[in-house]
Each structure stands twice: as structure tokens, then as C-alpha cells.
Amino acid sequence: MDVFSFSRGPLEPARWREALADPSCGGYASFEGWVRDHNEGRRVRRLEYEAFEALAIKEGERIVAEAIGRFGVTRAACVHRVGDLALGELAVWVGVSAAHRAEAFAACRYIIDEVKHRVPIWEKEHYTDGDSGWVNCERCAAAAHDHDHEPAHADEHGHAHPDVAADRRGHGHQHHSSAPAVPAPVSPADYSRQIALPEVGAAGQAKLAAASVLVVGAGGLGVPVLQYLAAAGVGRLGIVDGDLIEASNLHRQPLYGPADIGRAKAQIAADRLHGLNPGVRVEAHPTHATAENIDALVAKHDLVVECTDNFRAKFLVSDAVVRAMKPAVFASVHQYEGQLQVYRPLPHWPCLRCLWPDAPRDGMVGNCAEAGVLGPVPATLGALQAMAVLKRLLGLDGGEAPSLVTVDLLTLGTRRLIARRDPGCDHENPGPAATVDEAPLELEFTTLAEAFESGLELVDVRESWERAHDPPGLQIPTHLPLSELVHGHSEFPAAGRYLIICAHGVRSLSLTEHLRALGQSDVYSLRGGLAALRG
């Protein structure tokens, strides 16, 4: 059986339990989550589950592999229902077989907790009063830290089953246990308000969950960036900062308190973010960015946010993202003013050195310690950086041109200055090396998840009636029907890197050829279309 899978029909624990049987194993643990008839004081009559299956299966497989490696169990699997479920139906099942019961218990607990935190699954609750609503399923079911010694009972074959003390609040179902369930705390990671945005939706939230962002600097700019990205559900955050927390930081870095003075900023920030959203993976790097470590750090993330207050670090990061062809967001502040710049690895997009060929030396322009600053100034610029990151990850910045945005917090004035790439920039061209004629027209991917991870923005050119028949897990947020493009009712964005998708790859290839003829070199067609994908 697959280690992680979805089912549209009733779950069959007996069959899967048999598949996990191994003569070398003396312990077997399982978790069963059932649909219950109430949630937070409201009567529930049925549930409806939807998953972004391409990404969900990949993440679920990763979780099971982590459990096997971490706890040394022999076999493990998880199955989750999708579609409509009636009261009392089994919604999720986890099974683990191991040499000893303790490892089986721990791995079972780990899998269900991580699935609830990390796998993009959404639930629609239908209430008896006729109301209904989508509920994000990334809840914190983990009460393991408070229940190190859980009661267990043995079945007739001597296998132990954990009485997992964590009901799935907000999910309308509960686990099967011979002991009373202890309600687990609900995670604050409720993304329903941003999922309600038509530009985000379930597919956009899945994009955020699959993304990784490196934040260099956890000070006045970095604190709001980290807080907003963690709260938004960006799946993995890396924090690079070698400073210790000082008393003078606190007025503009409210992530920290007086008790944190003298402690490593990166580690304290990681701890606070885990408390804000346990479903986000946060990695602390309590070190300064250097020429020796920056390339390795950048390579492990999809996007970089530069939040330091010194020019050395800014140009160090700029050079690294140009080499790695990774997008980045820069900001800086001076007293009551700030500026924001976005870098995208495109042929016409300027890097930091294009705007400032001669990098100012640190000390030429005062930093916060020397020039002074009010807390809301870096907070505002950091919030703008976070917004720029979310726009990039969600594909909402396709029509933007390169620019430098300046903000004056005293007058509330903003200016957008057009930024152009310097032809004499010393850096190697970050765009594709191939010419329009040499670049392939078609790209091949085995799954939609691979296509999303390629860095290209996916554009669905099928007609609306075709999309209406898509399964719930198939979500391509950018939709430009070919008929509207042909008749001039819509316009294909001029800037960006795009993978054009249709049902069988015929219409997408025709449009790609047309756009290439117009001079757009970074457009590609999905070979064979959606019909050629395996998942």
C-alpha cells in the first residue's frame, strides 16, 4: 500500500493493518479519526473534505518517512478521506508497526500531528441549522508534550493501541479510544480569512505551505516579516542573524522582551514563531551572513528577504541571489523614511548593483543606532516586504515592472521610481542563457506539484466549462481562457516566467509559439497537457 494516500470511499483499517504486519514487529499502534456530530457548540450533520492532492501526497509521504527515520519503526501508513462524509464515518487512519510498542505509539502520534499541521487539507462543515463553512485543517492536535505517558490497551493479538489524547477540534470527528479524550489546544493557524480571497483560495494556501523563505536579519525589518509570513502559513522559514538581543532593540522589535536580553536573536525569534504557528517549520541560524555561508543558505530556499541594517550584508545577499537566480526582497530605513526593492531573476530585472554600482561603505549612511528610528518605520517597511513575498509566492505580481518604492512616514507620501537594469552591471546575466529560438517550447513534468516547484507561474488557458469538471485537488489559480485572449478580452502578462497549460498540450503550444514570436522568451507549454500528468 502507499504510505500516504487519499480515498473517496470508506476506509478499511483491517486491510491496511494486515498490510503493515511484519513477523519482526511486536508492537502495532493505530489512530482513527471519526466524524462527530458537533463542533464548538454547533451541531454538525456531515463533512466535506478537499485536498490539494499533488502537494498533499508529497508532504504526507515526507511525514511518514520522517516518522520511520526518527522513531526507528518498521512500517507506517496514513489514509485520509476526501469528498462527502456522514456522521460516524472514518475520516483518517494511521497505522504503525514496530519492534516495540513505545516506538509505534510515538510514530503514530507524530504522523497524525504533522499531517494536521502540514498537509493542505480543507474541511467544509455542514451544520443542522443549514449553515456551512470551510475550515482549515492545519490544527494543532499535538498534546504529546503534556502527555508523555499515555494509557494503552492491548487487543486480542497482543498488539498495543495508543489512546491518543488529542481530539481533532474543528474537524467534526474524533478518534476511537477506550479512555476519555482530552481536548488539545487549537492552533492559531486558521487561514480561513486569506483563503476566502479569490486570488488565494485552497490552491494559494497550498503554495504558501510548500514554500521556503530565508530571512536575513531578525531586527526591526525582520521581525514583522517573520511574524506575517509565519502567520500566513509559509511552510518553512530560515532565520539568519548573529546578533544578541539588546535593550535598545525592544522598542522596534516587539517579538522580544526584557527577559530575552543577551540571548541569540535568531533562536528566540524561532521559538516565538513556533508559538505563533506550530505548523510552520522554522530553522534558526545564529550567525551573520558571510561570503562563506550565504550561497549555501540561499540555495536551500525559494526566496530571500534581506532585512539587515548594513550595506555589506545587502550587497552580499544581492550577489548571492543573482548567482542562484532566486527572487529577493530588499528594504532599508533611515529615520522616518524607507525604501523597498524587489529582485526577480529575469533578463531585464535590475539587481542592487544596477541601482548602486558602487556599494556605499557601512558608516557612510547612519544605521538605526546612529541616526535614530521610531518603531513603526521599520515595521511598515517590513510589512511591505512581507506583502511582496506573499505576492510572489501566490503569483500576484506577474504584471509588475522593476521599481524602487520610497515611503515617507511623516507625510505618508510614496513614490515609485522606475528601475532599469544596468547593461554594464558586473554580474552575469541572471536570465536564461538560451535565445528565443534555442529555448524549448515545451517542458515536461510528471506531476502538477513538480510544475509548481519549477518556479514558473502556471497559467490555465482552458475554458471555464472545462475547469468546472476538475477534481477538487486540481487548482491552477491563474486562469486566462484562450477564447478571451484570442478575442482581446484578456491580455497575457508581458513580464514573468510562465508555464501555459491546457487539456492535451495543443492549445498551450500554439499560444506559446505566438508569444515567442512577439518576443516573450520565458513562456513554455506543458507537454501533453493535464492529460499527461500522473497526479
Side-chain angles (χ1 to χ4, degrees):
M1 65 179 296
D2 295 331
V3 296
F4 185 90
S5 60
F6 289 101
S7 173
R8 296 191 174 277
L11 303 186
E12 305 176 37
R15 178 167 63 89
W16 294 319
R17 174 180 170 178
E18 183 178 349
L20 294 180
D22 189 295
S24 67
C25 297
Y28 170 81
S30 66
F31 172 94
E32 296 183 1
W34 297 343
V35 178
R36 66 183 181 189
D37 64 358
H38 67 282
N39 174 44
E40 297 181 353
R42 303 186 69 178
R43 305 299 296 181
V44 175
R45 60 187 178 87
R46 68 181 179 90
L47 296 182
E48 182 180 344
Y49 278 104
E50 178 179 321
F52 192 82
E53 294 191 27
L55 292 179
I57 290 175
K58 183 175 181 180
E59 187 65 16
E61 290 173 342
R62 184 181 292 115
I63 290 169
V64 174
E66 289 172 2
I68 292 174
R70 176 175 296 193
F71 301 102
V73 300
T74 304
R75 298 181 183 179
C78 176
V79 187
H80 205 296
R81 280 288 305 273
V82 289
D84 292 324
L85 282 77
L87 297 180
E89 281 199 84
L90 187 58
V92 61
W93 175 89
V94 178
V96 177
S97 56
H100 306 287
R101 64 174 185 245
E103 291 89 339
F105 288 168
C108 188
R109 160 75 73 163
Y110 179 84
I111 291 170
I112 190 61
D113 287 353
E114 294 300 305
V115 166
K116 296 308 109 186
H117 291 166
R118 294 159 50 183
V119 177
I121 303 172
W122 291 266
E123 170 207 333
K124 191 173 189 179
E125 294 182 338
H126 296 265
Y127 304 108
T128 55
D129 59 9
D131 193 13
S132 64
W134 286 102
V135 179
N136 180 258
C137 290
E138 293 179 334
R139 303 279 188 175
C140 178
H145 297 298
D146 300 322
H147 302 279
D148 293 329
H149 302 286
E150 298 171 341
H153 67 276
D155 67 9
E156 65 274 17
H157 301 291
H159 296 292
H161 299 261
D163 292 322
V164 181
D167 77 352
R168 298 179 57 187
R169 294 186 60 195
H171 302 275
H173 59 269
Q174 60 189 15
H175 67 278
H176 174 45
S177 172
S178 62
V182 178
V186 177
S187 165
D190 182 341
Y191 309 120
S192 58
R193 294 300 185 268
Q194 62 192 39
I195 288 175
L197 292 168
E199 297 84 2
V200 180
Q205 192 62 51
K207 283 185 178 182
L208 298 182
S212 61
V213 175
L214 180 69
V215 179
V216 182
L221 292 168
V223 162
V225 169
L226 290 165
Q227 289 178 306
Y228 279 120
L229 296 186
V234 173
R236 183 165 67 94
L237 294 172
I239 307 173
V240 180
D241 197 308
D243 288 344
L244 303 180
I245 298 169
E246 300 177 2
S248 61
N249 299 151
L250 304 185
H251 83 287
R252 68 188 183 280
Q253 300 172 26
L255 195 61
Y256 317 117
D260 300 320
I261 293 172
R263 303 172 70 187
K265 190 174 287 187
Q267 189 57 60
I268 298 302
D271 294 343
R272 298 288 191 275
L273 296 179
H274 180 75
L276 173 64
N277 188 350
V280 172
R281 178 181 170 188
V282 185
E283 300 170 351
H285 303 278
T287 181
H288 294 294
T290 66
E292 290 72 31
N293 64 22
I294 190 62
D295 286 325
L297 290 166
V298 168
K300 296 176 182 178
H301 297 81
D302 303 321
L303 185 149
V304 181
V305 194
E306 205 290 322
C307 300
T308 71
D309 62 355
N310 68 85
F311 289 105
R312 180 200 63 80
K314 293 184 184 299
F315 282 86
L316 186 73
V317 170
S318 178
D319 295 346
V321 296
V322 169
R323 288 192 296 269
M325 295 183 62
K326 297 288 182 73
V329 182
F330 299 85
S332 59
V333 298
H334 180 70
Q335 295 186 334
Y336 305 104
E337 300 177 354
Q339 59 187 32
L340 176 78
Q341 181 186 354
V342 174
Y343 170 74
R344 293 176 62 182
L346 299 172
H348 65 288
W349 212 275
C351 67
L352 215 59
R353 293 188 185 275
C354 292
L355 274 64
W356 291 278
D358 297 319
R361 290 182 297 174
D362 288 321
M364 295 296 291
V365 179
N367 58 24
C368 292
E370 299 161 346
V373 64
L374 287 177
V377 178
T380 300
L381 271 296
L384 291 175
Q385 283 184 286
M387 184 63 187
V389 171
L390 295 176
K391 285 167 59 179
R392 174 86 292 267
L393 296 179
L394 294 168
L396 303 180
D397 61 349
E400 289 188 357
S403 63
L404 178 71
V405 177
T406 64
V407 182
D408 185 334
L409 272 295
L410 284 181
T411 65
L412 296 184
T414 61
R415 295 181 63 194
R416 182 181 291 272
L417 308 174
I418 299 302
R420 292 182 173 84
R421 181 171 178 81
D422 180 4
C425 181
D426 292 335
H427 283 78
E428 185 176 289
N429 192 324
T435 65
V436 172
D437 293 333
E438 294 171 341
L441 289 170
E442 295 180 293
L443 297 178
E444 189 170 346
F445 297 98
T446 57
T447 66
L448 198 61
E450 287 184 6
F452 273 119
E453 293 171 355
S454 68
L456 299 169
E457 181 175 344
L458 276 56
V459 179
D460 188 349
V461 297
R462 295 176 301 157
E463 302 304 314
S464 296
W465 64 266
E466 295 178 89
R467 287 167 58 98
H469 297 288
D470 287 344
L474 179 59
Q475 298 285 340
I476 303 175
T478 304
H479 180 215
L480 293 174
L482 188 60
S483 61
E484 294 188 10
L485 292 170
V486 170
H487 292 96
H489 301 310
S490 297
E491 185 175 347
F492 200 91
R497 304 180 66 233
Y498 301 98
L499 179 67
I500 304 174
I501 297 175
C502 68
H504 296 282
V506 178
R507 288 169 289 175
S508 60
L509 179 58
S510 176
L511 178 59
T512 299
E513 292 173 335
H514 174 69
L515 293 173
R516 288 286 185 89
L518 295 177
Q520 284 191 246
S521 59
D522 282 335
V523 290
Y524 305 87
S525 171
L526 176 64
R527 185 187 300 275
L530 292 172
L533 298 177
R534 294 205 297 263

